[in-house]
Amino acid sequence: MYTINDLYDLDHTLAKEWMEQYTYPWEMLKDIKMMILELGPTLEDYEEISPNVWVHPSAAIAPTAYLGAPCIIGANTEIRHCAFIRGSALVGENCVVGNSVELKNVILFDHVQTPHYNYVGDSILGYCSHMGAGSITSNVKSDKTLVVAKNGAEQIETGLKKFGAMLGDHVEVGCNSVLNPGTIIGRDTNVYPLSRVRGQVPAHSIYKNEQEMVVKEK
């Protein structure tokens, strides 16, 4: 099962010191709100534009965007028209949160793009990862049972009812794909459009469907 160090370069997030405490990335989900509330007041270059909402002055925030507390918006990040940040969102530097995108209880590393009609909840998106238009993280199972992280025969009880997806660095998710609860995608992997993804996807691969994944040519 992929660990935090397998998936992420922690030098590209303000969450580095918090995430270093854990082995698996989903263990961080329960602490995102607390981390933002403790981290926000220590950010010297940021402005607290409303209670528990810290925004870097170089960020571009559309007047129609909603920034729910607590959240942190990094330098040179663009929050576009009608973006809905419900809260507990740490958005890194040079990110794009696009038209009608909804974020909830998430960490977006630096240079992450969620530009068009995405829902990202209870998830962590690694450095330079990208969600294609209409792709979403499904964060609750239909039967409302706790999410189990799976990699073939290996299974780990997460103890979480809400767990979206863990995207490693440089992951590309194709348009209108659904990442089912507990999805973990290794670094530098591409997911075809219109995919339904569950379980763990290998790093440096191309996901065509559940039965067809190919290793990228070097």
Side-chain angles (χ1 to χ4, degrees):
M1 191 75 66
Y2 282 137
T3 66
I4 286 173
N5 290 331
D6 293 328
L7 292 173
Y8 305 116
D9 179 350
L10 295 180
D11 289 333
H12 293 290
T13 179
L14 292 173
K16 178 178 180 177
E17 292 185 5
W18 286 74
M19 294 185 71
E20 286 176 335
Q21 302 175 58
Y22 298 109
T23 300
Y24 298 109
W26 61 81
E27 296 174 304
M28 184 65 210
L29 293 177
K30 61 181 175 57
D31 290 335
I32 293 175
K33 181 177 181 179
M34 182 190 310
M35 174 192 65
I36 293 171
L37 290 172
E38 292 190 12
L39 184 60
T42 71
L43 299 174
E44 296 181 356
D45 296 333
Y46 286 65
E47 298 176 357
E48 188 176 6
I49 64 170
S50 62
N52 298 322
V53 174
W54 293 273
V55 177
H56 194 277
S58 65
I61 312 295
T64 53
Y66 176 83
L67 304 184
C71 72
I72 295 172
I73 308 298
N76 301 307
T77 282
E78 183 180 359
I79 309 295
R80 293 177 178 167
H81 174 66
C82 289
F84 179 30
I85 298 180
R86 285 169 54 188
S88 299
L90 170 56
V91 181
E93 299 182 357
N94 299 291
C95 293
V96 175
V97 179
N99 175 31
S100 302
V101 168
E102 181 177 350
L103 304 181
K104 191 273 293 187
N105 199 49
V106 296
I107 297 172
L108 272 57
F109 278 53
D110 299 339
H111 290 271
V112 168
Q113 294 190 340
T114 58
H116 308 289
Y117 304 102
N118 308 108
Y119 172 68
V120 185
D122 301 285
S123 300
I124 300 176
L125 277 54
Y127 176 62
C128 287
S129 60
H130 172 257
M131 300 278 286
S135 60
I136 66 168
T137 64
S138 175
N139 60 338
V140 180
K141 295 172 64 176
S142 59
D143 61 6
K144 307 303 188 291
T145 56
L146 300 182
V147 177
V148 178
K150 298 179 180 179
N151 180 28
E154 182 183 9
Q155 300 189 13
I156 298 177
E157 299 282 347
T158 69
L160 298 171
K161 182 179 179 181
K162 294 186 177 182
F163 171 0
M166 304 288 125
L167 271 58
D169 297 341
H170 298 279
V171 165
E172 291 277 345
V173 178
C175 296
N176 290 319
S177 293
V178 176
L179 309 181
N180 284 283
T183 294
I184 303 167
I185 302 179
R187 295 178 191 240
D188 191 36
T189 283
N190 290 59
V191 174
Y192 265 28
L194 298 174
S195 294
R196 293 174 295 172
V197 188
R198 66 178 68 249
Q200 181 169 298
V201 179
H204 312 292
S205 63
I206 299 173
Y207 181 100
K208 299 183 178 181
N209 55 58
E210 194 169 0
Q211 288 74 39
E212 189 176 5
M213 285 175 270
V214 298
V215 177
K216 285 185 176 180
E217 296 181 2
K218 294 184 179 180

